[in-house]
Amino acid sequence: MRDAETKANIRIPHHERPQSRREFLLRSGAGFGALPLLDLLHASATAGPVGSKHGSGPVSALTRKPPHFAAKAKSVIFLFMEGGPSHLDLFDPKPLLDKLAGQPIPKSFGEVITAMGEYGAPLLPPRRRWTKYGQSGLPVSDWLPHIGGCADDLAVIRSCWADGINHSAGVCQMNTGSILGGRPSLGSWVSYGLGTENQNLPSFVVMQDRPGSVVNGPRNWGAGFMPAVYQGVRIQGGSEPIPFLNTPRGVTEAEQHGKVDFLNQLNHQYASEHPGQTELEARIASYELAFRMQAESPESVDLARESAATKALYGMDRPETAPFGGLCLMARRLVERGVRFVQLYHGAGSEWDAHAHIEKNHAELCLSMDKPVAGLLKDLKSRGLLDETLVIWGGEFGRSPTSEKSDGRDHNPTGFTMWMAGGGVKGGQVIGATDELGLHAVQDKLHIHDLHATILSLLGLDHMGLVFKYKGRPERPTLNEGEAYKKIVTG
């Protein structure tokens, strides 16, 4: 055993057997092997405790925590249409846009320069037929007949607005509240504030419909300055939905259990000698979670257990709807098992970005998404899960009423549509409005910070009371802005 002075100075002779993995890293490659570890430990060490409404104490694993007040929803499924779907062609009909087709924007709207610098472009009318669905008579375009059939469950928010004019900033803000990277994602805040209902599965899961990279990549579901335990876990298709989780071939469960026990023995030994380094407890918990996931996760994502009728409800019997249908069905299975936040990316790689050929672009994307999303809503409702599951649909921004490249639409962050369903939301209502051309939100305007505050409120979390101390500064999910929109519950 080394003496106290040697321990304090961490001077390990090259011939001495290391007592822990940390010592092994310090010794390997002249200590360079420890650099990533030290960075991770520093990030955890500088993390502060949960806000006052959750009490104090060190950051722990994803233990279930009580909400600030009575919650309407237990979990969230966020359907992210990456690239910016056109509200004007889907949920926000504008008769004036049809009337002024091909003309410039009237001078009464002021000087309009779109996000990509388009100036003086003629107005592009949507070539859609609109149907009023359900008892609410909510208008939905002919591109989304299946979602239209769920109109009485939808709260369509036509007055959203954001700050990001390009995809990187827009996607970043819709996920983290900021157009600049480095902050925790909304799913991470939810995991931090509420923990998980199932200690054998991640609290926050992310899936995407195609291999193309989502703009900003993992930054969208990262934990920012929080401990990594709160970040989203990416799940994919194939025989290994969760990367690196499957037990290696030829390794028995007993052998795998022995490896985890050995790692825990080393970690606990070091932790007992250094009780002030609480971040090691998070490392121990992460190994234990991974081992538990090896037993439960394969069953959770095994769609073979679902009936043919259920798969058909999600469109899994048709090639154009099967990919996203499978993800939507998997999302239902995950929230059913206690996963707190599930985010699905549709059109991964900014496929909804229709600067040209919007008719072809949106027609194909709507076809691949419409039935799966409607199937998700219907399936959740039939199982009694919709009341406690908040479903959100939308992208990083909308599209412009003017044309780009003659048959496309530019980015429009100043007025666009999202919708919510379930989780205490009153369906069959339209919230807010854009102007007569769909350019700017003008009534009941809801910034992304308001949307995030509303989502957190439905989960029983006060966005101003959810605090994470970082470098001595109290950080909040909406950057000290935003207000929960209470009428989404009452109508």
Side-chain angles (χ1 to χ4, degrees), residues 18 26 28 30 68 85 90 122 134 156 190 208 251 277 294 306 335 337 377 390 401-402 406 452 475 479 484:
L26 283 168
S28 300
H68 296 152
L90 301 176
V156 177
V190 172
Q208 60 183 63
V251 177
Q277 295 185 353
Q294 286 180 324
E306 299 289 342
V335 298
R337 288 158 175 77
L377 294 175
L390 176 63
T402 54
S406 75
H452 285 187
E475 298 286 353
L479 287 77

Side-chain angles (χ1 to χ4, degrees), residues 245-328:
L245 183 65
N246 289 0
T247 302
R249 185 175 299 177
V251 177
T252 66
E253 182 177 345
E255 290 172 330
Q256 188 74 352
H257 203 294
K259 290 181 179 180
V260 174
D261 286 344
F262 178 65
L263 285 172
N264 281 345
Q265 180 182 349
L266 293 177
N267 286 331
H268 281 296
Q269 177 182 339
Y270 192 90
S272 65
E273 298 173 359
H274 304 81
Q277 295 185 353
T278 58
E279 73 279 354
L280 196 56
E281 294 298 325
R283 299 297 184 276
I284 295 171
S286 69
Y287 283 117
E288 293 171 345
L289 172 61
F291 183 76
R292 295 194 302 271
M293 285 170 62
Q294 286 180 324
E296 184 155 345
S297 291
E299 184 277 334
S300 301
V301 297
D302 184 6
L303 302 186
R305 298 169 183 261
E306 299 289 342
S307 69
T310 298
K311 292 177 182 177
L313 178 66
Y314 285 83
M316 292 183 64
D317 55 346
R318 298 177 60 186
E320 61 269 25
T321 51
F324 200 61
L327 297 189
C328 287

Side-chain angles (χ1 to χ4, degrees), residues 36-344:
L37 175 65
L38 293 174
D39 182 65
L40 287 171
L41 295 181
H42 173 73
S44 294
T46 55
V50 175
S52 59
K53 294 195 178 185
H54 282 313
S56 59
V59 174
S60 65
L62 293 168
T63 306
R64 180 181 176 182
K65 306 181 187 77
H68 296 152
F69 45 79
K72 302 289 184 182
K74 288 184 178 180
S75 55
V76 171
I77 299 176
F78 194 154
L79 308 169
F80 199 112
M81 308 294 112
E82 197 209 346
S86 173
H87 56 298
L88 300 169
D89 296 89
L90 301 176
F91 295 105
D92 194 3
K94 294 297 178 185
L96 185 62
L97 194 54
D98 293 318
K99 183 178 178 180
L100 300 180
Q103 300 180 35
I105 292 181
K107 293 183 179 180
S108 59
F109 283 81
E111 187 175 63
V112 176
I113 302 177
T114 60
M116 294 294 102
E118 287 281 341
Y119 175 79
L123 293 166
L124 179 67
R127 291 160 52 184
R128 309 272 52 83
R129 294 189 305 274
W130 299 85
T131 301
K132 293 184 177 181
Y133 286 93
Q135 295 181 354
S136 59
L138 195 149
V140 181
S141 89
D142 55 359
W143 267 336
L144 300 175
H146 295 285
I147 292 177
C150 303
D152 288 341
D153 294 316
L154 309 183
V156 177
I157 309 170
R158 291 179 176 170
S159 52
C160 303
W161 68 284
D163 300 307
I165 63 173
N166 60 24
H167 296 290
S168 178
V171 173
C172 189
Q173 187 172 48
M174 187 59 74
N175 278 287
T176 72
S178 171
I179 62 174
L180 303 176
R183 293 191 61 83
S185 59
L186 181 62
S188 296
W189 280 108
V190 172
S191 296
Y192 168 69
L194 295 175
T196 182
E197 295 277 336
N198 188 332
Q199 290 296 319
N200 299 331
L201 290 172
S203 176
F204 177 17
V205 168
V206 179
M207 295 179 277
Q208 60 183 63
D209 65 334
R210 58 191 72 198
S213 177
V214 175
V215 170
N216 304 328
R219 186 173 85 185
N220 296 314
W221 51 87
F225 45 69
M226 289 182 182
V229 69
Y230 299 115
Q231 71 185 356
V233 173
R234 168 88 184 278
I235 289 182
Q236 55 198 17
S239 60
E240 192 177 13
I242 301 178
F244 314 116
L245 183 65
N246 289 0
T247 302
R249 185 175 299 177
V251 177
T252 66
E253 182 177 345
E255 290 172 330
Q256 188 74 352
H257 203 294
K259 290 181 179 180
V260 174
D261 286 344
F262 178 65
L263 285 172
N264 281 345
Q265 180 182 349
L266 293 177
N267 286 331
H268 281 296
Q269 177 182 339
Y270 192 90
S272 65
E273 298 173 359
H274 304 81
Q277 295 185 353
T278 58
E279 73 279 354
L280 196 56
E281 294 298 325
R283 299 297 184 276
I284 295 171
S286 69
Y287 283 117
E288 293 171 345
L289 172 61
F291 183 76
R292 295 194 302 271
M293 285 170 62
Q294 286 180 324
E296 184 155 345
S297 291
E299 184 277 334
S300 301
V301 297
D302 184 6
L303 302 186
R305 298 169 183 261
E306 299 289 342
S307 69
T310 298
K311 292 177 182 177
L313 178 66
Y314 285 83
M316 292 183 64
D317 55 346
R318 298 177 60 186
E320 61 269 25
T321 51
F324 200 61
L327 297 189
C328 287
L329 179 51
M330 203 179 299
R332 188 222 80 203
R333 290 179 64 85
L334 290 171
V335 298
E336 201 172 30
R337 288 158 175 77
V339 174
R340 188 72 71 180
F341 200 102
V342 180
Q343 188 167 31
L344 308 185

